[in-house]
Amino acid sequence: MRQRLCAALLALALLVQLPVFAASNGTPAVVCTPGSASGSAQVSLSGLTDKVYAAQVELVWNTPQSTAAFTPSGNAYSPRCLVQNVEGKSHVTIYVDLTASPTEGAAPALGTLQLGGAYTAPVQARLTLLDRDLKPYTNANGAWVSLNGTGNNNNNNNGNNGNNGNNNNNTNPPPTGGSTYWITTTATTNGTLRVDPVQARPDTVVTVYATPDTGYKRVELSAIDASGQRLRLTHVRDDRYTFTMPASPVSVSAVFARQDTERPDPNPDPGNTNEKELPFSDVRTKDWFYDAVSYVYNRGLMSGTEGTLFSPNVTTTRAMIVAILYKLEGQPDSGLSDFTDVPAHQYYAGAVSWAASHGIVSGYGGGLFGPNDPITREQMARILFQYAQMKGYSTQARADLSRYSDAGRISGYAKDAMSWANALGLINGLDDGRLSPGGGATRAQAASILMNFCEKAAQ
């Protein structure tokens, strides 16, 4: 768990791109020397004065590398080795978790890098080091650093800001002052993400290529500057987008998800009898919610919780409802959420971002959404009401709620939504004469409400 947390925070350090500090004499350097095997190199660090608990090393070659793999040394852990080839140059980024054996001193080894072809010396190195609190060191916080021992003759001359002293090195690293800034990409799965160029001056148009693998689609794409502000992405065509470079580093991220075979249909052909038999052992044909569960399951709106369980009596959360509507909408592209309690790696992140951008949800205020909070009946009514309005469905129906003993407890923001939902039979009163606006909804109840919504409201 510690390894995964460290790796995640290390990736976040790259994403945030805190201010870059120029390397100077006495600061950490990357040592890269040819290994015994063909195409391999031993990667280590030098100039460390404190213990290092995690490291990210980006090595740059003037020529593209077809592949690269990294094997960490000792007890280190390396979640991935990322290769990007842009404009004839290759950027190989290595993430290493050293928490099991923190490094310090002379030249601790990180591991072995295996390239796809013959080994050639890298021309630049950029380094981020984290301390025991997983915070970046000032003198190695995304900074360009010296490359020691990169040549085939094991030349140990130090360079400045990435110039390794190799006579064949004609490439200087990009300025770290204020004129040119880097565009970085986070590691992705199920697709490829690259930018062109990888460094640019303000007002330059940068192109982003976000290409899903076969059977997948892009569900999130964002470009964020150093202050955390999201930049406007313009869709050019297919998988190509552009943005205008600000006067700061930019981090680009994408999320790819499996492509559904078909978009859920809220109003399928009533003559279609090809519905699948339910695989859930806790949903029986005599249960009042059987038809509703069958409806949402066969339309890809809800699935089981684990194994053969549907868990009909488990409370539904706010994130679950938004994720269901997101599926109903076909999982369109969405950016990262502005809510501080919606991590980008969670399954519902794209759904919440999409719902917020379309006014379907607004959160609690203070940057909070409460994704794991149990959804109340009035919250569900409001979300469905807002979704129906977004879709252009009629939301004029109203019911007289005064007949319910607790009608006065309906929150002001939800009164119209509850009246509408009650009029359509989406949310009905309880046997004791209450509407229970603040009560929760089980998964079985959510399935019933969603079936009624698709059959009665989605017109």
Side-chain angles (χ1 to χ4, degrees):
M1 180 62 70
R2 170 76 176 179
Q3 287 180 335
R4 293 184 181 277
L5 175 61
C6 184
L9 291 178
L10 182 56
L12 181 61
L14 174 64
L15 175 65
V16 173
Q17 281 293 294
L18 300 176
V20 175
F21 297 86
S24 59
N25 291 334
T27 59
V30 176
V31 181
C32 192
T33 57
S36 57
S38 175
S40 69
Q42 299 300 316
V43 182
S44 57
L45 302 175
S46 66
L48 303 183
T49 57
D50 298 297
K51 285 188 177 180
V52 174
Y53 289 76
Q56 173 186 290
V57 178
E58 180 183 356
L59 299 171
V60 181
W61 279 264
N62 279 336
T63 55
Q65 302 292 333
S66 57
T67 59
F70 182 74
T71 303
S73 298
N75 295 324
Y77 168 72
S78 181
R80 61 171 59 90
C81 179
L82 177 65
V83 182
Q84 275 192 300
N85 291 313
V86 180
E87 292 188 332
K89 292 189 177 183
S90 185
H91 298 249
V92 176
T93 304
I94 304 164
Y95 306 85
V96 188
D97 183 347
L98 303 162
T99 50
S101 301
T103 62
E104 65 178 333
L110 294 182
T112 302
L113 178 65
Q114 182 67 53
L115 301 176
Y119 174 77
T120 58
V123 296
Q124 298 168 7
R126 186 161 60 164
L127 182 64
T128 298
L129 300 178
L130 301 186
D131 62 18
R132 64 179 301 166
D133 296 319
L134 301 182
K135 295 180 180 179
Y137 287 101
T138 299
N139 60 351
N141 175 18
W144 291 98
V145 298
S146 300
L147 264 167
N148 295 343
T150 60
N152 291 329
N153 58 358
N154 294 332
N155 184 352
N156 290 319
N157 293 329
N158 290 341
N160 292 322
N161 295 334
N163 188 343
N164 62 8
N166 191 319
N167 292 333
N168 294 323
N169 176 22
N170 296 318
T171 301
N172 293 320
T176 58
S179 57
T180 304
Y181 301 90
W182 276 90
I183 305 103
T184 58
T185 59
T186 57
T188 60
T189 58
N190 307 322
T192 58
L193 177 65
R194 66 182 182 89
V195 294
D196 183 19
V198 296
Q199 52 182 315
R201 298 181 185 277
D203 297 324
T204 301
V205 176
V206 178
T207 302
V208 179
Y209 301 87
T211 307
D213 292 341
T214 301
Y216 291 84
K217 66 180 178 181
R218 184 186 60 258
V219 296
E220 293 182 20
L221 180 64
S222 66
I224 300 175
D225 66 16
S227 67
Q229 294 297 311
R230 195 176 301 160
L231 305 178
R232 179 176 180 178
L233 286 164
T234 301
H235 187 202
V236 179
R237 66 177 182 272
D238 299 327
D239 299 324
R240 183 179 302 183
Y241 293 77
T242 61
F243 68 86
T244 301
M245 189 70 181
S248 81
V250 172
S251 179
V252 179
S253 63
V255 175
F256 301 95
R258 186 174 297 279
Q259 177 73 54
D260 292 331
T261 55
E262 59 183 46
R263 178 172 171 171
D265 185 359
N267 295 297
D269 180 0
N272 182 7
T273 59
N274 295 325
E275 294 198 348
K276 295 177 288 186
E277 182 179 352
L278 293 183
F280 310 122
S281 60
D282 54 356
V283 179
R284 299 167 299 178
T285 54
K286 65 179 182 180
D287 291 328
W288 68 266
F289 48 79
Y290 179 87
D291 289 343
V293 172
S294 178
Y295 185 96
V296 295
Y297 172 73
N298 277 284
R299 285 150 186 82
L301 301 180
M302 295 181 72
S303 55
T305 53
E306 59 177 313
T308 60
L309 299 179
F310 181 77
S311 303
N313 296 316
V314 169
T315 300
T316 309
T317 66
R318 289 164 55 82
M320 288 178 187
I321 292 300
V322 173
I324 290 169
L325 293 182
Y326 187 53
K327 288 182 180 179
L328 184 61
E329 192 63 15
Q331 295 182 307
D333 288 349
S334 62
L336 296 177
S337 171
D338 291 329
F339 296 113
T340 58
D341 57 353
V342 179
H345 66 274
Q346 291 291 349
Y347 77 91
Y348 51 75
V352 173
S353 177
W354 161 80
S357 66
H358 288 82
I360 299 169
V361 298
S362 56
Y364 295 141
L368 299 177
F369 176 71
N372 297 315
D373 293 350
I375 194 165
T376 65
R377 286 156 63 87
E378 66 177 11
Q379 288 174 356
M380 180 177 285
R382 174 69 175 180
I383 289 174
L384 292 175
F385 184 75
Q386 295 293 100
Y387 176 69
Q389 288 190 326
M390 185 207 79
K391 295 294 292 180
Y393 303 150
S394 174
T395 56
Q396 300 303 312
R398 294 291 186 275
D400 180 8
L401 302 182
S402 62
R403 65 183 184 275
Y404 298 107
S405 60
D406 58 352
R409 295 189 176 184
I410 301 174
S411 300
Y413 76 88
K415 287 183 177 179
D416 281 345
M418 284 292 282
S419 179
W420 164 80
N422 187 253
L424 268 63
L426 307 185
I427 297 178
N428 299 310
L430 306 180
D431 292 339
D432 59 4
R434 294 182 304 118
L435 193 55
S436 188
T442 65
R443 283 172 52 85
Q445 291 169 336
S448 179
I449 292 172
L450 288 164
M451 180 180 71
N452 289 329
F453 174 82
C454 291
E455 292 183 337
K456 299 177 181 180
Q459 303 296 334

